[in-house]
Structure formats: structure tokens, C-alpha cells
Amino acid sequence: MSTPPSTARVAVVTGASSGIGAASARALAAAGFHVVLGARRMDRLEQVAAETGGTALPLDVTDDASVEAFAAAIDAGPGRCDLLVNNAGGALGTESVAEADLADWQRMYDINVLGTVRVTKALLPRLIASGDGQVITIGSIAGREPYKGGAGYNAAKHAEAALTRVLRLELLGQPVRVSEIDPGMVHTDFSLVRFKGDQERADAVYAGVEPLTAEDVAETVAWIATRPAHVNVDQVLLMPRDQAAAQVVHRREV
Ligand code: NAP
């Protein structure tokens, strides 16, 4: 763990142990932020912290006490928060509504929706106090467009989009910008998590397609974070050229 220079703006990234979160931490560090990284897998988090000169802190966004301790550690360490990237999230399963696994639905709601509210609520006073705060939430094409087999994740990401857009309305007049990035297919551990470790099913999602990389999304995070204070990028839908809608995908022979 390193201490940021007193003048560095501090960016907090949830779910920074892999994929889009880790890439965003790297991009924000390169843009001059001191990054505070939160996730459950501390070994991976420490690696990203070492690469970025950031601060790794344990975080389970589904747990009140964990989020409270996370916020307290930010106060005790970097001592400020200028940007929050709500990235922790993901999908579980592709069952139809008829076959819905309610435990998976509950978990997706807990991480993507309640997790985002919990961390945002905890850090909002620091973001306002910064005088130029920013919240960037990683939503999904799944939060704009329902698709077969996606209902549980669609519901969670639609809810996350709703709370982000309400936050934008409610913070009008406060010095805090609110943005939403909705990516299409990104090649990360997302599908491996969704298919509960089944590598073959996860690989099939990306077969013959050139998906986005975590770095593509991270560049967008860094771009939004470095606009002038009067510019609020409300929503970005970021898709691979090979994907024109949630389930409309161009695949080459493999
Ligand atoms: P990923 O590589 O699986 O990363 C998910 C991250 O979330 C991990 O760092 C994980 O860290 C963290 N996380 C999960 N549960 C958590 C919890 N309870 N508390 C704290 N952190 C938690 O997948 P990704 O693609 O980068 O996903 C990042 C975000 O992008 C998610 O919100 C996802 O819904 C969204 N997204 C992904 C895609 C895609 O195709 N990949 C497309 C659109 C949107 P730990 O396990 O170490 O806690």
C-alpha cells in the first residue's frame, strides 16, 4: 500500500481485482489519479496495486460492515475520494424465467444493485466534499435490452441503470458528475463466472468474434474522468463492431 501525493485526485475502483476494474485502475493511474482498489481477492488486488502504485483494500460490496471498513480505510489512508467507479458486478446463469434459479437472481441483485447503492451511499459525502466529484457506473447492454436467458442479469442491470440515472437527477446542483458506461461483449472472466467455472461454455461466447477488451472500456472510463468539470458524459453504449445488439453477433468460422 502506498500513500498518494497530497495533490493527487483519488479514484476508487470496485471490483479492481480483474477485468474491466483492473484495467480501469491502470488507465486512471496513468491519467494521474491515485487509485484505491477494492475487491475480495486480495492476492490479485495487491498485484494491481503494485503495478499502479495504488492502495489495495478488502471489499465485499454485498456486506455492510465491509463497505463501512472500506470507507473508513479511505479516510485513514488517502483521506479523500474524487471519483468512484462502480464496477463490481456480474452475471450468474442463463436459465429461462421458467427455470429461474432464485439464489442466482438474489446474488446478482445483491452485487450489481445493492452493492452499487451501498458503496455509492458510503462515499457520496466524500465525493461532494471534494468539490468536483464523479461517479462512473459500469452497467451493460443487458441494462438496456432484454434478451432470452438474460432475465436475472437484465433485471439487475436495468435496476443499476435506473439508480444511476436517478442519482444524476438527484445530484443536480451538487459538484458531482454521474456517468454510465454500458458495454457489449468484453473478453474478461465475466463468462467464466456466469457459467460457474465451465471454461468451454465461456470460450464459446467469444468464438469467432472480436469482442471488446477490458482496456477498451478502461479507456472510456479514463476519458470520462478527464473531461472538464462542467462536462457530464451521461451514458455511453460501447459495443464491439461484431455485435449490433445483445444477441445479434457476427461470428467468423473458427
Ligand atoms: P470480471 O473479470 O469477472 O470482474 C468482476 C469483478 O467484480 C472482479 O474484480 C470481482 O472481484 C468483483 N466482484 C464480484 N463480486 C464482488 C463483491 N461481492 N464485492 C466486491 N467485488 C466483487 O468481469 P468484468 O467483465 O470485468 O465485469 C466488470 C463489470 O462489467 C461488471 O459490473 C459486469 O456486469 C460489467 N459488464 C461486463 C461485460 C462483459 O462482457 N465482460 C459486459 C457488460 C458489462 P472479486 O471476485 O475479487 O471480489
Side-chain angles (χ1 to χ4, degrees):
M1 192 186 292
S2 69
T3 309
S6 57
T7 53
R9 283 164 60 75
V10 171
V12 174
V13 183
T14 69
S17 58
S18 68
I20 294 167
S24 298
R26 290 186 194 103
L28 290 168
F33 285 87
H34 178 80
V35 287
V36 174
L37 317 167
R40 296 165 304 173
R41 289 170 295 176
M42 283 306 287
D43 50 338
R44 283 166 164 256
L45 213 55
E46 296 285 7
Q47 277 177 26
V48 183
E51 280 173 51
T52 56
T55 305
L57 296 172
L59 173 67
D60 180 347
V61 299
T62 67
D63 185 279
D64 283 335
S66 172
V67 172
E68 223 171 276
F70 182 72
I74 291 170
D75 285 345
R80 59 187 279 181
C81 174
D82 301 273
L83 166 64
L84 166 62
V85 181
N86 281 314
N87 164 78
L92 289 170
T94 52
E95 285 76 15
S96 65
V97 174
E99 300 291 328
D101 180 327
L102 296 190
D104 282 352
W105 277 60
Q106 179 77 58
R107 188 77 192 143
M108 285 187 277
Y109 200 83
D110 283 347
I111 301 170
N112 294 283
V113 188
L114 298 184
T116 297
V117 183
R118 192 175 281 111
V119 177
T120 304
K121 191 177 167 189
L123 297 184
L124 203 48
R126 284 109 176 146
L127 289 162
I128 293 171
S130 77
D132 178 18
Q134 212 173 1
V135 178
I136 302 175
T137 295
I138 308 299
S140 172
I141 178 71
R144 294 183 180 224
E145 193 194 323
Y147 58 88
K148 285 202 288 190
Y153 185 54
N154 288 145
K157 285 300 196 190
H158 273 74
E160 191 179 26
L163 85 86
T164 304
R165 293 169 199 179
V166 169
L167 188 69
R168 166 86 172 107
L169 293 167
E170 290 177 351
L171 290 177
L172 192 67
Q174 299 275 11
V176 182
R177 290 175 280 166
V178 180
S179 304
E180 172 189 336
I181 302 174
D182 294 325
M185 197 185 277
V186 190
H187 200 163
T188 62
D189 287 345
F190 174 86
S191 294
L192 195 61
V193 172
R194 180 172 217 166
F195 295 119
K196 301 173 183 174
D198 185 334
Q199 189 71 58
E200 215 171 305
R201 285 187 79 191
D203 289 345
V205 172
Y206 310 108
V209 180
E210 189 175 348
L212 298 172
T213 63
E215 288 70 29
D216 294 325
V217 183
E219 267 185 22
T220 308
V221 170
W223 175 72
I224 291 175
T226 52
R227 292 314 84 209
H230 69 284
V231 177
N232 194 98
V233 180
D234 279 44
Q235 295 167 26
V236 174
L237 176 63
L238 191 70
M239 302 289 280
R241 185 178 63 185
D242 284 346
Q243 186 182 20
Q247 286 185 324
V248 180
V249 174
H250 171 67
R251 289 185 197 275
R252 294 161 196 80
E253 294 278 332
V254 278

